Amino acid sequence: MAIKYGDFRTVSLNKAGTAVCIIDQTRLPNEVVWRDLTTIEEVWLAIKTLAVRGAPAIGVAAAAGLAVAANQIQAADFAEFYQKFCRLKAYLATSRPTAVNLTWALERMKRVVLDCKQYDLLTIKARLIAEANAICDEDEACCRAIGENGLPLIEGCRAVLTHCNAGRLAAVRYGTALAPIYLANEKGCAPKVYADETRPLLQGARLTAWELQQAGIEVELLCDNMAATLLSRRAVDAIIVGADRIAANGDTANKIGTYNLALLARCFHIPFYVAAPCSTIDIACASGRDIVIEQRDPDEVTAQWYARRMAPDGVAVFNPAFDVTPAELITAVITERGVLRPPFGESIAAMLK
Ligand code: MRU
């Protein structure tokens, strides 16, 4: 099914506030399947299995899932409600460890409950639905602002290279790294996008290539190990990626393989941009060393995409889902509030002040 760019939100609450609606990203690009998640377990599993993924989308899904589940709580008084709410919140927080947007969104939902404790439970439940919808709306506006701020940086670029999927499927709409591309496309001047396939789960091949095709933007796919050859041909003017967590000094966790690209960008003297909302900045993490990196199932490397195994049974597997790009390799961080430049320790602190 062809979906036109602008038609859908990747993740949202239904009107009644009884379900989290997602496009199931495990089924793309072969099938476009929409799912309504109505229980906390379904939301947890959807995040864990990457049916909904990408740092901003994970945050929105968690907030929406918590609102839906909180509305199902049976409690005699606030104390009982709050205890059950905290249990649900803690459970969702275990779904994935690296993208800070998850805990950021859950904390924001908890603030609502605490700020409303003088109200009856029905009012608190309604406020939670309203907050989840606000987080969803804000994400869309925020990503558009990232696009606007990033647009001047890609002006004149013939082609950019991106990694994983930091497009509309990773957020509510627009995405982060791809937001400037979408805005350029609205003006009729989008650069060509080279998309790394992004082993082992192929978010670049399955998702980035799909959504750019849907939007009518020129996209060319490459295997991750082809990037140096591509850059050596001077075919790419900038690299632009998203982020799962940015430490206070600018070190950036993003999909495994991002660090490789940052090194290549330095080698070939092209700018390396990170695009992310401020909710991805974690000032509690002093540097990348404090960021927890998710380790995933070895089968993602040895057997995920083929009926036959791709590696011998029992082989040891190194499968970190993310890596940390040191701040000194990053040219700029594009946020909804503006473009941050090095030294990032100072520019981040000044922006968040
Ligand atoms: O494991 P994933 O698919 O959730 O990883 C996603 C990424 O690494 C994205 O680049 C990141 O979340 C930024 S999304 C705007």
Side-chain angles (χ1 to χ4, degrees), residues 50 52-56 58 96 99 163-167 170-171 175-177 201 203 207 241-244 253-256 258 275 277 294 296 321-322:
L50 276 51
V52 57
R53 44 135 314 272
I58 289 172
R96 292 192 78 187
H163 189 67
C164 191
N165 174 265
T176 56
L201 292 183
Q203 289 93 330
L207 308 175
V241 297
D244 286 84
N254 191 51
K255 179 54 55 192
I256 191 78
T258 301
E294 179 181 13
R296 292 189 63 93
F322 303 96

